[in-house]
Structure formats: structure tokens, C-alpha cells
Amino acid sequence: MTARRKPAIIETGSLSYGMLPGLLGFHLRRAQVSLFKHFARTVGQVAGITPGLFGMLQVIAANPGLAQSRLAEAMEVERSTIVKVVDQLEARGLIVREPSAVDRRSHCLELTELGRAELARMEQLVLAHEAELAAKLTPEDRQELTRLLIQLAD
Amino acid sequence: MTARRKPAIIETGSLSYGMLPGLLGFHLRRAQVSLFKHFARTVGQVAGITPGLFGMLQVIAANPGLAQSRLAEAMEVERSTIVKVVDQLEARGLIVREPSAVDRRSHCLELTELGRAELARMEQLVLAHEAELAAKLTPEDRQELTRLLIQLAD
DNA sequence: TATTGTTATACTCTATAACTATA
DNA sequence: TATAGTTATAGAGTATAACAATA
């Protein structure tokens, strides 16, 4: 690093955010909060689901017979954290825990018929939500944003 | 139940994320988690601060005499949520609540000398953290990413 | 010994509602 | 009536540690 640069400052009303507008994390968080609020309005209120739960359902649906520990690894959370999530989804009748045929410690997660139907409905809502978001960008910019986010996440 | 068989054995690593990779929110969240972990390692562990607390300090530093309610508005959280944050920062000797000269209901937030020194140290760590992140992108791509995130957040 | 699912516990972040002291 | 700060409380979301059953 060379000389200290003066941080960028933006004004919102009479209020300054200091050096925050010069940080990627600041804009990442703002975009995320905005997107989550939009998701809550357009998908959450209609289908009673959060981005996190929808993600879990997607991974379960895309990997039939997935063990809870594998799901935890995929979502990058602890095994113990998954338990209550699976409890919730099972209580709503969307998934079932099936005993594994090869390992009696394991529970294989599967979507129920209701789960498949509800997920299909959720997917339509999510696609509509995504389309509304994407409308803020050109198709090229949306592609570019995805590429840059993947690059940043490693 | 007996008729349903697993279509494929799921091995570690060969896991599908379904439609998630087609969603901006998925990539936004992954980038955010990656960035927060990097922040925790490079800034948090050294200076004992989180992105949220650092943001609060930045806004307080950039707006001397800010009332708690204005800070709450700036951070887009409830007044009641701010109380414990201010308690924490005050307990660490980084800020003080000063009685307002014009409104006896109001507390004006100010950095202490220690707060100014600590914040300057944090800022150096944050800039180093930012530089490491930015190294994953070309300077043009970093600029472009910021632009696209602002556009997405409205 | 190691792993799977589970429980108990705790900590963070956030919100709502009610209270007090002012305005 | 409305606002500023506070308190009490609750609900997600997450983590750690310990446990029984099984590998």
C-alpha cells in the first residue's frame, strides 16, 4: 500500500456514512437486505417460506435421499442446526425422514407429494421475484453481476 | 413407499443445488458469507469488532452529535435495537452519550479520544481487508460490481 | 475411534409493545 | 399528541458440547 487515500463520502440527507460507501461489504449488505425484503413481500407472504428454507428444499429436491449431515455440509451450517429446519419442513408435510437402507444412523431426506407440489408453486413465485429484480439491470449486467459475485466468493 | 428408489447415489462433492445457481440472491448470499468470514479473520479477531459495529462507529464518527434515533434510521433498525449497541460501545469506552443542549429527551453520540484512536486502527485493518478482497477482481471489475450492487439495491 | 442425529444451552440480531420523560 | 430513550420479551438463526446408537 502507498499513501492513504481519502475515503469516498456520500451524503444521504444531512447524514454521512463515512468510509462505508467505499467498501464492497457495505453495498453487498444493502443489496442483500433489499433483495430479502423483496423476497419476503413476493414469495414469503404468499408461500410462507424464507430464502433459507427455500434453499434447503431446493437441495433436498435436487438430491433425493440426501442425509442430514450432507445437507448441513451443502448449506455450510452445523449438523445440529439442520435438525430444527428438517423438523419444520417435516411438520409442514413437505419432506419426510426415511431410514437409510445402508446405514442405520442415517436419515434420508425426501420430498413428499405435497412437498413437490408446494415447491413447484414456490419456484414460480421465486422466478417472478427474480424477474422483477433482474428488471433493474440489463441482461448483460445481470450476467456480469453473477460472474463478479462468484469471483468474489471464490 | 417401497416402489420409490434413489435415482442416484449422492457422493460428497457431486451435489446439485437445483435452481439456486440461477438466482442472484444465492450468489449475493455466498459472496456476503465469504466476505464476512474474511472480515472476522482479518479485522474481527484483531480489533474485536463486527461489520455491524464498525458501521455504527463510522456513522457516529462521520456525524458528531448524532441522536440515537437518527442512528437507528441511518442503519435501518428500530430505536430499541440501537440501545444495546450503544451500551456496548460506551462500555468499551469508544463513545459517550452526551445530553443534548436543545432537547432533554435526546442523547448525542460522540466518539471518545480512545474511540477515535481505536477507529483509526480499525480503519487500517478494514482497508487491508478490502484490498485483499479487491485483489480477486480487476480494478474495473470492482468498480463495476459496486455500480451493479447499488443499482440492484435501488 | 469416528460418525449421525439429537438435545440442551447460549449468544447475536432483530422486532413489538409498553413505559418515562420530555416536547 | 407525538417523540426519544429505555426495558422486557420473544423469535429467528447460529454455534458448542455432550449423548446414544451405529459404523
Side-chain angles (χ1 to χ4, degrees):
Chain A
M1 238 190 287
T2 53
R4 197 188 316 169
R5 261 192 2 209
K6 179 180 172 150
I9 293 184
I10 58 166
E11 297 284 331
T12 307
S14 57
L15 202 89
S16 165
Y17 283 87
M19 77 188 292
L20 299 185
L23 304 176
L24 282 172
F26 177 71
H27 298 290
L28 215 42
R29 166 144 174 80
R30 296 203 131 199
Q32 170 114 62
V33 167
S34 167
L35 184 147
F36 266 52
K37 282 182 180 167
H38 189 269
F39 187 101
R41 279 199 312 274
T42 60
V43 183
Q45 276 191 345
V46 181
I49 202 90
T50 60
L53 286 181
F54 178 75
M56 298 274 183
L57 279 180
Q58 275 296 313
V59 175
I60 294 168
N63 305 276
L66 193 69
Q68 286 182 206
S69 291
R70 294 318 123 242
L71 178 60
E73 285 167 12
M75 305 308 286
E76 298 187 87
V77 292
E78 284 298 309
R79 286 187 340 269
S80 59
T81 305
I82 289 291
V83 176
K84 267 173 287 193
V85 174
V86 170
D87 283 350
Q88 262 184 276
L89 296 175
E90 199 173 32
R92 284 176 61 174
L94 303 179
I95 66 171
V96 284
R97 285 170 164 104
E98 299 275 7
S100 165
V102 294
D103 186 338
R104 271 181 296 177
R105 296 172 303 180
S106 255
H107 292 175
C108 297
L109 304 177
E110 307 266 7
L111 260 74
T112 60
E113 275 307 312
L114 175 63
R116 264 184 283 275
E118 285 290 293
L119 184 54
R121 185 169 145 254
M122 289 174 196
E123 284 174 355
Q124 293 313 303
L125 293 168
V126 167
L127 288 174
H129 147 78
E130 179 75 11
E132 276 183 41
L133 279 184
K136 293 181 177 182
L137 310 171
T138 67
E140 300 77 38
D141 277 356
R142 180 171 174 280
Q143 191 69 21
E144 181 76 346
L145 178 54
T146 300
R147 178 183 76 79
L148 294 171
L149 289 172
I150 290 172
Q151 211 170 316
L152 195 66
D154 253 350
Chain B
M1 318 304 184
T2 48
R4 205 187 303 154
R5 270 275 49 95
K6 285 187 283 189
I9 305 296
I10 306 305
E11 302 293 341
T12 54
S14 63
L15 199 94
S16 167
Y17 283 87
M19 77 187 293
L20 298 184
L23 303 176
L24 282 171
F26 178 71
H27 298 290
L28 215 43
R29 167 142 175 81
R30 297 203 128 198
Q32 170 112 63
V33 167
S34 167
L35 185 147
F36 267 52
K37 283 182 180 167
H38 189 269
F39 187 102
R41 278 199 313 273
T42 60
V43 184
Q45 276 191 344
V46 181
I49 201 88
T50 60
L53 285 181
F54 178 74
M56 297 276 184
L57 279 180
Q58 274 297 311
V59 175
I60 294 168
N63 306 274
L66 192 69
Q68 288 182 205
S69 291
R70 294 316 124 243
L71 178 60
E73 285 166 12
M75 306 307 289
E76 297 187 89
V77 293
E78 284 298 309
R79 283 184 346 265
S80 60
T81 305
I82 289 290
V83 176
K84 267 171 286 191
V85 174
V86 171
D87 284 350
Q88 263 186 272
L89 296 175
E90 200 173 31
R92 284 176 62 174
L94 304 179
I95 66 171
V96 283
R97 286 169 163 104
E98 300 275 7
S100 166
V102 294
D103 186 337
R104 273 182 294 179
R105 296 171 304 181
S106 255
H107 292 177
C108 298
L109 303 177
E110 307 266 7
L111 259 74
T112 61
E113 274 307 310
L114 175 63
R116 264 184 284 275
E118 286 289 293
L119 184 55
R121 186 170 144 254
M122 288 174 197
E123 284 173 357
Q124 293 313 304
L125 293 168
V126 167
L127 288 175
H129 147 79
E130 180 75 11
E132 277 185 40
L133 279 184
K136 293 182 178 180
L137 309 171
T138 67
E140 299 77 39
D141 277 356
R142 179 171 174 280
Q143 192 68 20
E144 180 76 349
L145 178 54
T146 300
R147 179 183 75 79
L148 294 171
L149 289 173
I150 290 172
Q151 212 170 315
L152 195 65
D154 254 347

